[in-house]
Amino acid sequence: MPGIRAPSNYSEEPPRHPALKINAKEPFNAEPPRQALVSSYVTPTELFYKRNHGPIPVVDDIERYSVSVVGLIEKPRELFMKDILNLPKYNVTATLQCAGNRRTAMSKTRTVKGVGWDVSALGNAIWGGAKLADVLELVGIPKCTSVTPAGGKHVEFVSVDKCKEENGGPYKASIPLIQATNPEADVLLAYEMNGETLNRDHGYPLRVVVPGVIGARSVKWLDTINIDSQVCQGFFMQKDYKMFPPSVNWDNIDWSTRRPQMDFPVQSAICSLEDVNVGRNGKIAIKGYAVSGGGRGIERVDISTDGGKTWKEASRYQKPGTQYIADDDKSDKWAWVLFEAEADVNSNTVIVAKAVDTAANVQPEKVEDVWNLRGILNTSWHRVLVQVRHSSM
């Protein structure tokens, strides 16, 4: 494609922050230490998790870079960056989360297939760009359209990125047209992240951001927008990122029996403590994040300091100094909340967190109940062990 290319090897990778925990080198997949997540409401770009399926594309000439809008529409069009930049700019604070977040813990129950992630395969950023609803109006699709006159019901995003799962073809995914054309869904073609131009790892020069939905649908390095009558038939929509019951294994799996995962379920994790902690008895700070998909806010975060026998509520906040009220206009509906609690710990114990969203969805207690062969959507109660070393004084 003019102006941008997908390298055939990993010799042109961008620099990365040394604090990132690398889960796979080629393609590069990494997450920050969990403590870094709770140090700020907006995740610093360099500490935002990196999820890739191939070498990072290289922009050779931004003036020649364009996105093709094609498919079941009346006026297909080539859009250059200047066309996107001419549209109204919106800033949307949204948490992106990999569907495989907390996969490593699920794998301890029974082995699963996929990149091993701890609790930090997510981040919260301020994304700047044009609303996809405005972009699609440029090709004659009005706001809040569920089907085009030619029968288009889905918006497929095709990347410049090439990956082995597509046999060397491009990464792709789709969302329903009604979501793409609804301005309230806040789907963006983003060119900024945290007030700066997107960096290469996060999709420079242009990426899709689909708030409230698993990160796999927020396609980076956008090449083509295709209006289609059916859901994207790409690998990551048809043969991955689907939620199967614990009884399904690699011998009896039938991918066609499940829909592609879109919204992510309610999730939380403790980030101020590691899986196993050794310390002195006394007060302990419990901090973490809670987030739900589909724009649902967090109604409550429950903390237990006795392995789940008794509970108390943690305080929740987004922006410092502003009270967080789920579903309030001043709250960021697509973003996580951070939580805090304090506990007196005098003996060895398991500290647990579970979140409840505004639809009263609650995290399941046991990872065994949500185990699936691809290890996605581990939203079970998050547990950390605290071992108290009594002072000899």
Side-chain angles (χ1 to χ4, degrees), residues 89-204:
K89 181 188 171 189
Y90 293 88
N91 284 317
V92 174
T93 304
T95 298
L96 288 189
Q97 178 175 212
C98 178
N101 192 29
R102 301 181 58 202
R103 178 179 283 133
T104 298
M106 185 176 277
S107 212
K108 286 174 183 166
T109 302
R110 264 159 70 200
T111 305
V112 298
K113 188 174 170 186
V115 175
W117 296 102
D118 186 42
V119 302
S120 305
L122 84 170
N124 190 47
I126 303 167
W127 306 97
K131 286 202 179 179
L132 181 57
D134 289 340
V135 173
L136 293 176
E137 273 194 325
L138 296 177
V139 296
I141 304 176
K143 301 262 181 11
C144 299
T145 297
S146 55
V147 56
T148 66
K153 292 181 182 176
H154 300 271
V155 181
E156 180 182 63
F157 309 114
V158 183
S159 177
V160 174
D161 181 27
K162 302 285 189 279
C163 48
K164 68 177 191 309
E165 293 88 350
E166 293 285 7
N167 299 313
Y171 184 96
K172 48 192 170 182
S174 68
I175 63 171
L177 181 65
I178 189 63
Q179 183 178 11
T181 57
N182 178 5
E184 296 294 307
D186 287 333
V187 180
L188 293 184
L189 295 194
Y191 42 80
E192 283 184 7
M193 179 180 183
N194 296 339
E196 297 179 343
T197 302
L198 275 179
N199 73 19
R200 286 180 56 207
D201 260 327
H202 294 292
Y204 176 75

Side-chain angles (χ1 to χ4, degrees), residues 27-334:
F28 189 81
N29 290 283
E31 65 188 303
R34 61 174 75 172
Q35 267 97 348
L37 290 182
V38 286
S39 60
S40 60
Y41 172 60
V42 173
T43 310
T45 302
E46 65 273 15
L47 294 176
F48 206 95
Y49 80 101
K50 320 290 182 211
R51 175 73 178 110
N52 297 303
H53 294 91
I56 307 298
V58 177
V59 175
D60 293 316
D61 184 354
I62 191 65
E63 298 296 321
R64 294 176 67 214
Y65 168 78
S66 65
V67 173
S68 307
V69 189
V70 300
L72 300 173
I73 49 174
E74 286 163 32
K75 39 182 186 184
R77 193 167 160 187
E78 204 82 4
L79 296 173
F80 291 85
M81 280 307 292
K82 67 178 191 307
D83 302 312
I84 307 292
L85 292 166
N86 278 337
L87 292 168
K89 181 188 171 189
Y90 293 88
N91 284 317
V92 174
T93 304
T95 298
L96 288 189
Q97 178 175 212
C98 178
N101 192 29
R102 301 181 58 202
R103 178 179 283 133
T104 298
M106 185 176 277
S107 212
K108 286 174 183 166
T109 302
R110 264 159 70 200
T111 305
V112 298
K113 188 174 170 186
V115 175
W117 296 102
D118 186 42
V119 302
S120 305
L122 84 170
N124 190 47
I126 303 167
W127 306 97
K131 286 202 179 179
L132 181 57
D134 289 340
V135 173
L136 293 176
E137 273 194 325
L138 296 177
V139 296
I141 304 176
K143 301 262 181 11
C144 299
T145 297
S146 55
V147 56
T148 66
K153 292 181 182 176
H154 300 271
V155 181
E156 180 182 63
F157 309 114
V158 183
S159 177
V160 174
D161 181 27
K162 302 285 189 279
C163 48
K164 68 177 191 309
E165 293 88 350
E166 293 285 7
N167 299 313
Y171 184 96
K172 48 192 170 182
S174 68
I175 63 171
L177 181 65
I178 189 63
Q179 183 178 11
T181 57
N182 178 5
E184 296 294 307
D186 287 333
V187 180
L188 293 184
L189 295 194
Y191 42 80
E192 283 184 7
M193 179 180 183
N194 296 339
E196 297 179 343
T197 302
L198 275 179
N199 73 19
R200 286 180 56 207
D201 260 327
H202 294 292
Y204 176 75
L206 197 65
R207 72 169 298 163
V208 184
V209 173
V210 187
V213 166
I214 64 167
R217 315 305 176 212
S218 288
V219 174
K220 298 185 278 188
W221 314 291
L222 189 59
D223 177 280
T224 304
I225 297 171
N226 178 36
I227 312 302
D228 205 342
S229 60
Q230 60 177 354
V231 170
C232 168
Q233 295 301 298
F235 179 90
F236 295 98
M237 290 288 286
Q238 298 302 328
K239 299 218 164 162
D240 204 352
Y241 298 125
K242 292 181 175 184
M243 183 68 165
F244 284 89
S247 55
V248 170
N249 59 45
W250 292 106
D251 295 324
N252 63 17
I253 191 168
D254 178 356
W255 288 100
S256 67
T257 60
R258 291 284 174 262
R259 55 183 283 283
Q261 185 64 37
M262 300 303 280
D263 287 10
F264 51 79
V266 64
Q267 171 77 287
S268 73
I270 296 164
C271 296
S272 57
L273 297 163
E274 297 300 323
D275 288 343
V276 179
N277 308 268
V278 179
R280 303 221 178 277
N281 60 328
K283 288 209 185 307
I284 196 163
I286 303 160
K287 298 179 182 181
Y289 63 78
V291 64
S292 192
R296 291 176 289 279
I298 297 297
E299 187 62 30
R300 213 174 72 229
V301 179
D302 298 331
I303 301 293
S304 173
T305 54
D306 55 14
K309 295 188 189 73
T310 60
W311 301 88
K312 69 174 187 178
E313 199 173 332
S315 62
R316 293 160 293 140
Y317 63 95
Q318 284 186 330
K319 292 163 283 246
T322 307
Q323 186 187 5
Y324 171 78
I325 302 166
D327 290 352
D328 190 89
D329 288 345
K330 295 187 192 70
S331 299
D332 294 325
K333 67 186 274 192
W334 306 112

